[in-house]
Amino acid sequence: MRARLRPLLHLAGALLLLAGIPPARAEAPLEELALQAAQPVDGMAGGNLSGLARCADGRFWAVSDREDGQLYRLQPAGGHWQAAAEVFAAPPPPPNALPWGLRMGNRLLSPLRGGALDFEGLSCDGAGNRYLLSESELAVLQLPVAGEPRWLQLPPELLRQARARGLLLHFNALLEGLAVQPDGQRLWLAAERESRGLLALQRGSERWRCAADGCVLLAQGGRASRPLDPPDSPTQALDFGALSWHAGRLYSLERLQHRICRRDPHSGAVERCWSFAAAALTPERRYDTPFGVAEALWLDDGSAWIGLDNGEHANAAGERRPLILQLQAPAGGWSG
């Protein structure tokens, strides 16, 4: 049947051309964000900068996925950032319902790499409380301005709904981004890859809960190649590297495609995207990996700040310290 239809389809296409209807156009290239600075970070052990946030006091903070008991306060210091550790003691994480195989994989990997909690996201609310996302435990740790660290009580249906939509199924591909609304009443989580997705929770009277339409805003598969690579380069799974909240909108760091996208906070739908490939993939800043290394994102009115998790690997220029790229906001601002 398909063979019989093929000549008719070709004829229909020819008639459309004769009628003056143009063929579908390729997607227009994204606007490239201009690089303002690319500065290394001194003082972070291991070079694993996996989360970045600027709190209400104006200070920048970073977290490493290899260290379970400290944050880093970042200070500009003449062409680089200087990291100073702030130590904390996380209580035992709450039990999670991950399948046995995923839990055992996390336990076996943590002694080899360090960081049993695998902190992969960092955010602040308007009061200055800081929130750390543990990928291995599917949990969020709050470091309050006053008081001891505590784990948020997330709803058990979060994992069930995510896995039913094809999220959080694979080892080392669980949660990779966190954003908190300034009033602390809502938070978003990013499922990393295979498939990638966006999850949303809101604060209830005693514990966090899913919205009326469920916890999962978006679940998305697909593959792509890295920008600026040759056309025949192998494709990789689409992913999320980080989330950021700014001026009433949610922003996703899309690591493989080297772009930042503004998304509707209620549906997860893309509104607009910008590329940082030209800044991150210059010959001297490339790493010997087919994957992206951008894993941290913070936005303000004038800039986007992207942290690179290089895992102690040197880039082509020989730099082994993690880098923070500062990119100029687009003309008209992020909401334009």
Side-chain angles (χ1 to χ4, degrees):
M1 182 64 70
R2 291 180 181 177
R4 294 177 187 174
L5 289 175
R6 194 173 294 125
L8 295 177
L9 294 174
H10 287 308
L11 177 60
L15 291 174
L16 288 173
L17 289 175
L18 290 173
I21 300 175
R25 295 181 180 179
E27 185 179 346
L30 299 179
E31 177 185 349
E32 289 284 346
L33 298 174
L35 181 68
Q36 294 177 292
Q39 297 182 329
V41 180
D42 271 332
M44 284 192 72
N48 289 73
L49 196 163
S50 58
L52 182 68
R54 194 174 196 172
C55 286
D57 61 2
R59 293 179 174 179
F60 270 105
W61 295 86
V63 67
S64 167
D65 59 7
R66 304 294 175 91
E67 298 172 280
D68 290 344
Q70 57 189 30
L71 280 176
Y72 290 96
R73 185 175 67 253
L74 303 181
Q75 295 282 356
H80 71 277
W81 293 90
Q82 183 62 50
E86 178 184 294
V87 177
F88 63 88
N96 66 62
L98 280 172
W100 181 86
L102 292 181
R103 285 186 282 113
M104 287 305 298
N106 289 329
R107 291 177 185 176
L108 292 173
L109 182 61
S110 61
L112 301 176
R113 70 176 182 190
L117 295 177
D118 192 11
F119 287 128
E120 293 287 358
L122 171 62
S123 188
C124 300
D125 62 24
N129 301 305
R130 293 157 296 174
Y131 300 77
L132 300 177
L133 173 65
S134 168
E135 180 176 23
S136 60
E137 298 294 338
L138 296 183
V140 177
L141 180 70
Q142 185 191 62
L143 301 181
V145 176
E148 297 299 318
R150 64 182 186 90
W151 296 97
L152 303 188
Q153 297 185 50
L154 304 185
E157 58 268 30
L158 173 68
L159 180 60
R160 293 198 300 267
Q161 292 184 18
R163 289 178 65 83
R165 295 285 299 276
L167 308 176
L168 310 183
L169 298 179
H170 304 288
F171 172 68
N172 203 32
L174 300 175
L175 294 176
E176 193 76 13
L178 166 71
V180 178
Q181 199 165 270
D183 62 6
Q185 296 301 305
R186 199 168 189 208
L187 64 82
W188 291 262
L189 305 169
E192 183 180 6
R193 55 187 167 86
E194 299 174 297
S195 297
R196 71 177 182 178
L198 295 174
L199 311 170
L201 297 171
Q202 55 194 47
R203 188 190 296 274
S205 57
E206 296 182 359
R207 62 187 305 160
W208 291 79
R209 58 185 177 86
C210 299
D213 294 334
C215 286
V216 181
L217 300 183
L218 173 74
Q220 183 181 48
R223 301 177 69 84
S225 55
R226 188 171 59 172
L228 307 184
D229 281 358
D232 58 347
S233 298
T235 61
Q236 309 290 341
L238 296 178
D239 59 15
F240 288 129
L243 297 176
S244 184
W245 174 267
H246 176 65
R249 282 292 183 268
L250 184 67
Y251 293 82
S252 58
L253 175 67
E254 311 198 356
R255 182 174 52 201
L256 173 69
Q257 295 169 289
H258 288 71
R259 67 185 194 177
I260 299 169
C261 289
R262 188 180 73 222
R263 293 178 173 272
D264 184 288
H266 304 289
S267 69
V270 170
E271 296 178 342
R272 188 173 179 183
C273 297
W274 300 266
S275 173
F276 61 92
L281 295 176
T282 58
E284 68 273 14
R285 293 194 196 100
R286 282 184 174 250
Y287 295 86
D288 186 17
T289 172
F291 308 103
V293 296
E295 291 206 359
L297 174 67
W298 186 257
L299 269 68
D300 59 28
D301 289 340
S303 300
W305 311 78
I306 294 178
L308 305 186
D309 183 352
N310 60 309
E312 292 186 291
H313 299 293
N315 61 19
E319 180 59 74
R320 292 186 177 275
R321 294 170 293 179
L323 290 174
I324 295 178
L325 308 182
Q326 182 185 356
L327 304 164
Q328 185 173 342
W334 299 110
S335 299

